[in-house]
Amino acid sequence: MERRTFVLATGGMLGSGGLCGAAELSKARTAPAAGIGAGNVAPAAAGSAAYLALVQERFNVYPGSRGVAMTLLSVKRSFVDARGDQFSLTFAVAAGQTLASGIYEVENASIGKRSIYLQRAGSGPEGTYYRADFNLLN
């Protein structure tokens, strides 16, 4: 078989496989997440209003297999309008416990578990402070 004939014959099969893969990827992006329905909050849908109701509540952060308790101290809104919701959360971890800046699984009984980037933001009477910034676009 000539090289040209081989490329033409197999190129169609490779191209059609790629299109099928792209179609499946497109379906995966638009499919609703499992477990989201009545009474459940989608991870990206928890805006500043959801967190305002949780100020002074306990959260668990998982730097490993064992959780560390932290308290949500404040929610600072930069803006909220039809275009989006921009806000920062400030958490306190008890004195003597520190976390490196990074992405952690954070859990609360009201909103469930989600991945959040936490950055050290100083210390105070409540312990070590960590900040999480959000810019949710509608």
Side-chain angles (χ1 to χ4, degrees):
M1 177 183 280
E2 260 185 18
R3 182 174 190 263
R4 183 175 193 272
T5 307
F6 175 78
V7 170
L8 290 174
T10 58
M13 289 189 295
L14 293 174
S16 66
L19 291 175
C20 292
E24 290 304 314
L25 180 59
S26 175
K27 286 181 196 173
R29 288 184 186 160
T30 58
I36 297 173
N40 295 330
V41 177
S48 59
Y51 287 103
L52 278 170
L54 301 175
V55 171
Q56 294 302 317
E57 283 201 25
R58 179 184 167 160
F59 285 71
N60 289 319
V61 61
Y62 295 95
S65 60
R66 189 172 166 187
V68 172
M70 64 181 183
T71 303
L72 177 60
L73 296 179
S74 68
V75 178
K76 181 182 175 189
R77 289 175 153 173
S78 298
F79 75 85
V80 178
D81 64 14
R83 294 175 298 157
D85 188 2
Q86 187 176 33
F87 60 99
S88 296
L89 306 177
T90 302
F91 295 96
V93 175
Q97 296 180 327
T98 59
L99 302 168
S101 295
I103 299 173
Y104 293 95
E105 289 292 316
V106 176
E107 183 176 35
N108 175 274
S110 298
I111 60 172
K113 188 183 278 190
R114 59 198 66 223
S115 296
I116 296 178
Y117 181 84
L118 295 173
Q119 177 178 328
R120 187 173 177 160
S123 60
E126 295 91 352
T128 306
Y129 298 151
Y130 292 89
R131 190 181 78 225
D133 298 312
F134 296 85
N135 190 16
L136 306 177
L137 302 175
N138 294 331

